[in-house]
Amino acid sequence: MAKQSAGQKGAILLLYLRVFTKSNRKFTTAACLIGFVVGATGITMIVGSIFPCTPIAHNWDMKMTGKCINKLDFARYTAIPNVLTGLAMLVLPLPMVWRLNVTIQQKVALTATFLHGVM
């Protein structure tokens, strides 16, 4: 699940960069920063899911002596950057949309289109 979420968010950020590439340096910097956090969170979730115990064999053989991370805490703390990057990605294109030289109806329609990801 982590790989899918990070991959999907990465694809959306690349789309944003392609659409709004020449518009604003702050936008590009924010998108790259969000992309870094998404990538780091995705890698953390993948590594934490594959290697939650030491030794690794303790994952499937609980009779071995070993130590595992608290999986509930791991899910809880990796959810925080996941939710925050999702919210940041929802609002990231909105200032760019409202600077476009189009009618108010078109701006509202574009805003609704970008915010459709909330559902």
Side-chain angles (χ1 to χ4, degrees), residues 30-74:
C32 290
L33 180 63
I34 293 169
F36 175 77
V37 173
V38 165
T41 303
I43 290 170
T44 301
M45 292 176 76
I46 290 169
V47 170
S49 298
I50 295 173
F51 306 111
C53 297
T54 304
I56 297 171
H58 187 61
N59 284 326
W60 59 84
D61 187 6
M62 292 298 192
K63 293 177 185 174
M64 290 182 71
T65 57
K67 186 177 177 182
C68 293
I69 63 172
N70 185 332
K71 293 179 183 175
L72 182 61
D73 285 344
F74 178 72

Side-chain angles (χ1 to χ4, degrees), residues 14-25:
L14 289 173
L15 173 72
Y16 285 173
L17 288 173
R18 185 171 174 112
V19 171
F20 299 115
T21 188
K22 303 290 183 194
S23 301
N24 192 341
R25 182 107 170 120

Side-chain angles (χ1 to χ4, degrees), residues 3 35 72 88 106:
K3 186 170 67 172
L72 182 61
Q106 289 173 320

